Amino acid sequence: MKQSTWKYTLREILIVIVGISIAFSMNKCSDNLKDNKLKTVYLTNLKSDAAADKLVLAKNIGEIDKKIETCYNLIPQLNTGKPQSMALLGEIFVILKYETFSPKDITYQTLVNSGDFKLIPDFELKAAIQSHYSNYKDMMDAYARHRSLIQDYLGNYLVNDADYDQLNEGKALFLDEIKLKNIMRAMSTTLEDKKKAAQNGIVSCDQLIAELEKALN
């Protein structure tokens, strides 16, 4: 009787252990499925963000090219003694417009701040993602230098070194053409830097998209 009771108890214990093991395995499998789905969402969104950023950067390059051409057209006209025209003022205001770029990095910031980066075990993919958003920092520095030149120099020049009342009398609007010419030279340099930074940003987007596509396929 005691031996029968002992066998029954052992059998019940084994059934409980097996049941717990199965339940644990099922929970772990369910968690893995959830993690894989979440990882796919992150990677898909990162790819979408990079593609959207690429479109903005490509559009910016087109606008920057126009401004670079305007600068190179303006420089030979300044400080030559030739009469100034309204067209000259119009070209200055074209250059005054500024192309902005705000990276779509909400997905990346969420991935980092939530601790979900651990969902991506692929070291090379992790490195590619981090490198891409690090590249944006260098690009934004070029954008900031150009914005500073517009605000601190060209903007101030149009306020302090231009007499708009002269337009009605057909006289020179810009009082210091040497200064304006130097600003245009500096402007063309920062525009070239900004263009190069945007081109590098597009290359970085392409590289990240390629890595993400490999991970998603």
Side-chain angles (χ1 to χ4, degrees):
M1 184 70 178
K2 289 183 179 180
Q3 186 177 5
S4 177
T5 302
W6 179 83
K7 287 182 179 179
Y8 175 80
T9 302
L10 180 60
R11 185 179 65 181
E12 290 297 312
I13 292 173
L14 288 173
I15 290 173
V16 171
I17 292 173
V18 171
I20 291 173
S21 298
I22 292 172
F24 180 78
S25 297
M26 291 179 66
N27 286 336
K28 188 174 182 181
C29 183
S30 176
D31 289 341
N32 287 338
L33 287 173
K34 289 179 182 178
D35 287 347
N36 286 332
K37 286 182 179 179
L38 182 57
K39 183 182 77 170
T40 299
V41 170
Y42 274 125
L43 298 185
T44 302
N45 288 345
L46 285 171
K47 180 184 172 184
S48 176
D49 290 348
D53 284 345
K54 180 181 174 180
L55 289 175
V56 174
L57 291 172
K59 182 180 178 181
N60 281 359
I61 289 173
E63 295 301 318
I64 292 169
D65 277 335
K66 294 176 185 177
K67 290 178 175 59
I68 291 173
E69 183 179 359
T70 301
C71 283
Y72 287 141
N73 288 337
L74 277 174
I75 289 171
Q77 300 179 44
L78 297 170
N79 196 36
T80 62
K82 294 180 180 180
Q84 296 176 10
S85 65
M86 282 294 294
L88 184 65
L89 178 61
E91 289 178 320
I92 295 295
F93 276 104
V94 167
I95 296 171
L96 196 62
K97 292 178 65 178
Y98 178 78
E99 302 77 30
T100 60
F101 177 67
S102 299
K104 291 186 176 297
D105 61 355
I106 294 177
T107 302
Y108 175 69
Q109 295 298 337
T110 302
L111 188 62
V112 172
N113 296 331
S114 66
D116 286 339
F117 228 137
K118 65 180 182 294
L119 297 175
I120 304 174
D122 187 331
F123 176 79
E124 289 186 2
L125 180 57
K126 273 185 178 180
I129 294 170
Q130 292 172 322
S131 176
H132 172 71
Y133 287 96
S134 177
N135 290 339
Y136 274 169
K137 293 178 182 178
D138 294 335
M139 184 177 65
M140 296 310 295
D141 286 343
Y143 270 67
R145 287 193 297 271
H146 178 63
R147 182 175 63 247
S148 177
L149 183 62
I150 289 177
Q151 294 173 344
D152 299 338
Y153 290 90
L154 184 56
N156 283 339
Y157 181 91
L158 293 175
V159 172
N160 300 315
D161 294 281
D163 185 351
Y164 297 94
D165 291 334
Q166 299 275 46
L167 285 175
N168 297 327
E169 302 176 19
K171 297 181 181 179
L173 165 66
F174 301 114
L175 306 180
D176 187 345
E177 288 194 31
I178 295 177
K179 184 177 181 180
L180 181 57
K181 191 171 189 175
N182 289 335
I183 291 174
M184 288 299 105
R185 286 179 174 140
M187 191 67 65
S188 66
T189 299
T190 59
L191 281 166
E192 293 281 6
D193 290 344
K194 189 176 178 181
K195 177 183 176 180
K196 182 64 176 177
Q199 289 172 331
N200 290 340
I202 289 177
V203 171
S204 183
C205 286
D206 284 337
Q207 291 173 342
L208 178 59
I209 289 171
E211 290 295 328
L212 291 169
E213 285 179 343
K214 283 194 298 184
L216 287 167
N217 293 332

